[in-house]
């Protein structure tokens, strides 16, 4: 069948990560490609208990408000208030189908085709797809060991760049694994005030700090910040519960757009999420378990990289899920070309070029430490080392 698709679609790059999930789903492959929480870390029994309680109320199987059920919005508001250090009300929260929908709705509410936006380089692939779909003019600013180069952003702003928004995964960056320093967070919030753009603070990993102390959000330093959150990494991806908080005119616009997208989310999974987030002793213990497991897994993966892989520089994770690899030297592999050999040897990763705005990072890769226990992570690195020989 011949179809004429929109011109806007032609600008949207496919997600290499989603494609890789199919490639690496073979039983013999240890996939470090996806950002998947460990299966044994998903609180299935606790979710089942909450589901049973939720279904005792007929409303859990019915349509709900576009912005989400009231109890979840209040719970999220309380969590956000504690994180940013100022009051957030339930009316300031919009519940979405994962934080990816929140990002899409924000872009649709704010952007017209051709509007300039700033992203990090390397960039979270989902953000790049959303902004390309909106027809935005994407400007990339590099990321180093302390996160987004806010100094370079300031230079470009002084030179005349006027973005509508700046997207950042400030805490435990995807894919780079680094965290934006507090000095840069304050500076970024200050630039937003000075130049009138919005910061979109995408924060699915902030609660996964290995030391248990989540970084202070960018939103703590200024009002021109939209915060995106998610239950996927701290509870379970299948709940498909995310949220956003931000200025009232934006949340009102997002609500209108969401009505045209899906009317509302799942009242059932929202009720489950509300119960789990509101059970503070249980949730705190659950987070402690996640942090301890991820800390151990990150240590195993990085130690194996240091032992098995010569000529590679890596990030040092302090939370989140990812390690970034840079292969050095004249014989550094093109990681896109390396991937098929790696899959043949039973290991998967994401080539760095998947996260590039302008075809860079050919000799880089992202690997996830959260999915497998230490022994399997060490075996995955050994398989990667064999692929390089």
């Amino acid at each position: 069948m011949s179809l004429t698709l929109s011109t806007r679609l032609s600008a949207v790059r496919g997600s290499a990560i989603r494609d890789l999930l199919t490639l690496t789903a073979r039983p013999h492959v240890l996939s470090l490609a996806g950002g998947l929480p460990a299966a044994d870390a998903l609180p299935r029994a606790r979710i089942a208990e909450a589901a049973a309680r939720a279904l005792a109320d007929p409303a859990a199987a019915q349509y709900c408000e576009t912005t989400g059920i009231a109890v979840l919005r209040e719970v999220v508001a309380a969590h956000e208030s504690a994180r940013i250090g100022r009051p957030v009300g339930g009316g300031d929260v919009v519940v979405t189908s994962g934080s990816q929908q929140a990002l899409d709705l924000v872009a649709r509410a704010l952007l017209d085709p051709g509007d300039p936006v700033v992203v990090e380089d390397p960039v979270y692939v989902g953000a790049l797809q959303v902004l390309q779909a909106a027809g935005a003019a994407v400007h990339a600013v590099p990321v180093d060991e302390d996160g987004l180069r806010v100094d370079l952003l300031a230079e470009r702003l002084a030179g005349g760049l006027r973005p509508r928004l700046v997207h950042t995964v400030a805490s435990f960056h995807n894919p780079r694994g680094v965290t934006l320093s507090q000095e840069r967070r304050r500076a970024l919030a200050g630039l937003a005030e000075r130049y009138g753009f919005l910061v979109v603070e995408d924060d699915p990993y902030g609660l996964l700090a290995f030391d248990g102390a989540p970084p202070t959000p960018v939103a703590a330093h200024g009002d021109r910040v939209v915060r995106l959150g998610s239950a996927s990494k701290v509870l379970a991806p299948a709940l498909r519960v995310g949220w956003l908080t931000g200025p009232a005119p934006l949340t009102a616009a997002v609500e209108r757009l969401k009505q045209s997208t899906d009317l509302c989310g799942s009242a059932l999974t929202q009720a489950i999420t509300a119960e789990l987030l509101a059970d503070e002793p249980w949730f705190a213990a659950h987070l402690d378990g996640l942090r301890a497991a991820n800390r151990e897994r990150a240590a195993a993966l990085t130690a194996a990289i240091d032992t098995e892989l010569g000529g590679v520089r890596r990030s040092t994770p302090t939370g989140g899920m990812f390690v970034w690899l840079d292969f050095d030297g004249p014989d550094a592999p093109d990681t896109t070309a390396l991937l098929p050999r790696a899959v043949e040897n039973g290991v998967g990763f994401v080539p760095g070029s998947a996260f590039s705005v302008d075809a860079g990072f050919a000799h880089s890769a992202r690997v996830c430490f959260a999915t497998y226990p230490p022994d399997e992570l060490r075996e995955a690195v050994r398989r990667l080392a064999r692929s390089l020989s």
Side-chain angles (χ1 to χ4, degrees), residues 304-381:
I305 290 168
D306 293 344
T307 300
E308 302 287 345
L309 301 182
V312 64
R313 289 178 292 116
R314 60 163 177 82
S315 61
T316 300
T318 56
M321 303 176 73
F322 303 112
V323 174
W324 182 255
L325 306 178
D326 290 307
F327 292 89
D328 291 327
D331 298 323
D334 181 308
T335 51
T336 299
L338 174 64
L339 180 60
R341 296 201 304 274
V343 172
E344 288 178 5
N345 280 302
V347 63
F349 59 85
V350 186
S353 59
F355 305 100
S356 172
V357 177
D358 297 310
F361 306 111
H363 306 296
S364 302
R366 189 197 76 178
V367 290
C368 175
F369 55 76
T371 310
Y372 296 111
D375 285 347
E376 292 183 83
L377 291 170
R378 286 187 279 266
E379 174 59 23
V381 176

Side-chain angles (χ1 to χ4, degrees), residues 178-193:
V178 297
T179 293
L180 188 66
S181 69
Q182 286 301 323
E183 180 181 357
R184 291 186 185 183
R185 290 173 190 240
R186 285 189 291 270
L188 179 58
L191 290 173
E193 294 289 345

Side-chain angles (χ1 to χ4, degrees), residues 22 66 74 166 343 362:
T22 300
T66 300
E74 292 295 337
V166 173
V343 172

Side-chain angles (χ1 to χ4, degrees), residues 6-14 100 103-105 107-108 111-115 117 125-138:
S6 73
T7 55
R8 183 173 293 183
L9 184 65
S10 65
V12 182
R13 182 193 302 177
Q100 185 70 15
L103 179 56
D104 178 65
L105 291 169
R108 289 167 57 196
L111 301 176
D112 290 317
D115 281 346
V117 299
V125 173
L128 186 61
Q129 286 184 304
V130 162
L131 297 172
Q132 288 173 334
V138 177

Side-chain angles (χ1 to χ4, degrees), residues 244-306:
L244 69 87
T245 61
L250 177 62
T251 56
V254 163
E255 180 181 3
R256 287 166 55 198
L257 287 169
K258 195 173 188 302
Q259 288 170 352
S260 70
T261 299
D262 64 1
L263 295 180
C264 65
S266 165
L268 176 59
T269 60
Q270 290 180 34
I272 293 167
T273 302
E275 177 177 321
L276 271 57
L277 293 180
D279 187 346
E280 294 184 8
W282 177 87
F283 187 53
H286 172 68
L287 283 178
D288 285 345
L290 286 179
R291 292 166 180 150
N294 284 352
R295 186 189 311 116
E296 180 186 25
R297 292 171 186 216
L301 180 66
T302 54
I305 290 168
D306 293 344

Side-chain angles (χ1 to χ4, degrees), residues 48 60 69 87 96 101-102 113 123-124 131 134 158 163 187-188 202-203 206 217 238 279 311 316 331 368 370 378 387:
I69 63 173
T96 58
Q101 187 191 45
V123 61
Y124 165 54
L131 297 172
L188 179 58
D202 209 341
D203 192 20
D279 187 346
T316 300
D331 298 323
C368 175
R378 286 187 279 266
S387 305

